[in-house]
């Protein structure tokens, strides 16, 4: 399964032209951030009283799907806490759908999330020495 490598693989391939067979065209980190920003969300962990217990970020990877760090959400789920996802001034309930704690990647289901999914790349296209950006 290639879930764990997708965020970094995507961001490194983001520095290529939008044409499938074109040679890579390096982009400045600021340009990469501008391209992926519509897919970045805030993930809030709340306790049973509704108090914030932690905050992080996530990346929209598909319809109603967000990838985030497991260290943020995995233990909280065991303790009765819940996750909220915020984007564009709106807040959405989130539930843990998949976890890979060894790679620190968790997938949240976020019904009715209105955000642009990031375009997923493939780690197979990465080259030694290529710049990779972790955003989100």
């Amino acid at each position: 399964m290639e879930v764990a490598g997708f965020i970094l693989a995507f961001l490194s391939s983001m520095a290529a032209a939008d044409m499938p067979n074109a040679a890579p065209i390096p982009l400045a980190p600021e340009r990469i951030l501008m391209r992926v920003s519509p897919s970045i969300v805030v993930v809030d962990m709340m306790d049973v009283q509704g108090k914030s217990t932690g905050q992080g970020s996530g990346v929209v990877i598909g319809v109603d799907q967000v990838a985030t760090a497991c260290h943020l959400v995995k233990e909280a789920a065991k303790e009765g806490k819940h996750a909220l996802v915020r984007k564009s001034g709106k807040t959405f309930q989130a539930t843990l759908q998949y976890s890979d704690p060894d790679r620190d990647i968790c997938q949240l289901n976020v019904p009715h999330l209105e955000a642009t999914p990031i375009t997923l790349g493939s780690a197979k296209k990465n080259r030694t020495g290529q710049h990779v950006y972790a955003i989100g």
Side-chain angles (χ1 to χ4, degrees):
M1 182 171 233
E2 196 161 338
V3 173
F6 71 87
I7 295 174
L8 295 180
F10 165 76
L11 294 175
S12 64
S13 65
M14 198 58 184
D18 290 332
M19 295 176 280
N21 297 322
I25 300 171
L27 295 177
E30 296 83 11
R31 298 268 306 157
I32 294 170
L33 180 61
M34 284 175 38
R35 279 187 164 182
V36 300
S37 288
S39 303
I40 306 300
V41 298
V42 175
V43 178
D44 290 308
M45 294 309 302
M46 311 299 281
D47 66 16
V48 292
Q49 286 85 29
K51 266 181 111 170
S52 177
T53 61
Q55 186 177 71
S57 60
V59 179
V60 180
I61 59 170
V63 176
D64 299 340
Q65 304 297 309
V66 170
T68 190
C70 270
H71 69 264
L72 176 65
V73 297
K74 186 74 170 137
E75 290 302 314
K78 292 179 187 174
E79 299 169 12
K81 299 175 184 176
H82 64 279
L84 299 175
V85 169
R86 291 186 287 130
K87 180 68 178 169
S88 302
K90 296 180 181 179
T91 302
F92 305 88
Q93 294 286 332
T95 56
L96 181 62
Q97 186 172 35
Y98 170 83
S99 66
D100 185 345
D102 292 338
R103 293 186 177 105
D104 198 28
I105 298 284
C106 278
Q107 182 173 317
L108 302 175
N109 182 44
V110 189
H112 312 294
L113 177 63
E114 300 168 6
T116 305
I118 203 161
T119 302
L120 299 178
S122 171
K124 294 176 184 176
K125 293 182 180 179
N126 285 353
R127 298 179 320 271
T128 302
Q130 184 178 11
H131 290 129
V132 177
Y133 301 92
I135 301 172

